[in-house]
Amino acid sequence: MKLVRVGKVGAERPGIIDAEGNIRDISSIVDDIDGTALSSQSLAELSAMNLDDFPRLDGDRFGSCISGVGKIICVGLNYVDHASESGFVAPKEPVLFMKASTSLCGAFDNVEMPVGGEKLDYEVELGVVIGKTAKNVSVENAAAHIGGYCVFNDVSERAFQLEGTGQWLKGKSCDTFGPCGPWLVTPDEVKDISNLDLQLTVNGELRQTANTRDMIFGVPELISYISRFMTLQPGDLIASGTPAGVALGMKPPVYLKPGDTMELSIEGLGQQKQTIV
């Protein structure tokens, strides 16, 4: 299934995409696309629906494909080539940091240059949304805790992140720094999460291209590892890391500026497009 949230900011309605590509309003079944909607019982109910019985959902804005996110856990340096371009060796265990849930926005929303921002960067990433509470889970059982996958752009302000009293949290958490979606794709629609092409362009120029098989730590490993340190709850989002090609790694760096447009995609999970304002 492809689950969506359509409507103006703060007034999104839950929907599902039918076989013809139409969006059907499922607000009579679920209040929102959130952790509750991703329970096994809820997903089974949604899967059994005859979508022709539900009205079409009109609207031209896709909101963040997941609502009510308690926490966003990001994985740094999870592709060898990105670690190298950033000046680090490949980590021996996952590098974790957090991103504020208030950074989330729609896949086609504008990305705002924050006050004082000067080194804006992009990162195409596979997003993994938790569907079942996970605490100290094994790698073998990790997949049972996944509610869905999505495209995620881990927008970053590198001066905030790395310079002065730089902190990854504040360099990652500005409003609109988390375009998410357009769809939340349930695991049954993804044949092999470890073999998906992803890419990102800036103003039509290819900057990032890779495959999820290039990740140092795969999705089951990440869920198992993170669940050792914190309980993962339904609706939590894991941003699994980005490949090489970020602006920071260019020589010299070519950071984003107002008017620039990013387009990014992951095979089977959809496309995004944002303009810097």
Side-chain angles (χ1 to χ4, degrees), residues 73-79 125-128 152 212 215 217-219 222 238-242:
I73 308 100
C74 301
V75 183
L77 311 175
N78 198 27
Y79 288 75
E125 305 199 9
L126 168 67
V128 182
F152 188 75
T212 54
M215 290 197 297
F217 306 102
V219 171
L222 293 177
I238 298 173
S240 61
T242 199

Side-chain angles (χ1 to χ4, degrees), residues 191-265:
K191 291 182 179 180
D192 184 359
I193 198 62
S194 64
N195 185 26
L196 299 180
D197 292 328
L198 61 166
Q199 71 169 36
L200 180 145
T201 67
V202 176
N203 300 329
E205 176 191 0
L206 183 62
R207 294 282 184 89
Q208 292 185 282
T209 181
N211 187 285
T212 54
R213 63 172 171 264
D214 302 324
M215 290 197 297
I216 300 170
F217 306 102
V219 171
E221 293 173 279
L222 293 177
I223 292 172
S224 177
Y225 181 83
I226 295 169
S227 75
R228 290 168 46 193
F229 303 99
M230 65 191 83
T231 299
L232 293 171
Q233 298 175 318
D236 283 349
L237 172 65
I238 298 173
S240 61
T242 199
V246 299
L248 175 68
M250 301 176 73
K251 301 187 185 308
V254 181
Y255 293 111
L256 298 166
K257 60 185 183 302
D260 285 347
T261 296
M262 299 172 283
E263 295 185 68
L264 50 154
S265 65

Side-chain angles (χ1 to χ4, degrees), residues 129-195:
V129 179
I130 298 299
K132 176 183 175 183
T133 300
K135 182 175 182 178
N136 292 318
V137 301
S138 66
V139 173
E140 292 75 20
N141 292 328
H145 298 265
I146 298 171
Y149 303 102
C150 61
V151 183
F152 188 75
N153 189 354
D154 180 17
V155 182
S156 312
E157 211 297 331
R158 300 301 190 187
F160 295 175
Q161 178 187 357
L162 301 170
E163 301 174 11
T165 55
Q167 299 167 7
W168 284 34
L169 176 66
K170 71 183 185 185
K172 299 281 187 172
S173 293
C174 300
D175 291 352
T176 72
F177 271 26
C180 184
W183 317 311
L184 180 64
V185 182
T186 52
D188 57 291
E189 284 212 15
V190 182
K191 291 182 179 180
D192 184 359
I193 198 62
S194 64
N195 185 26

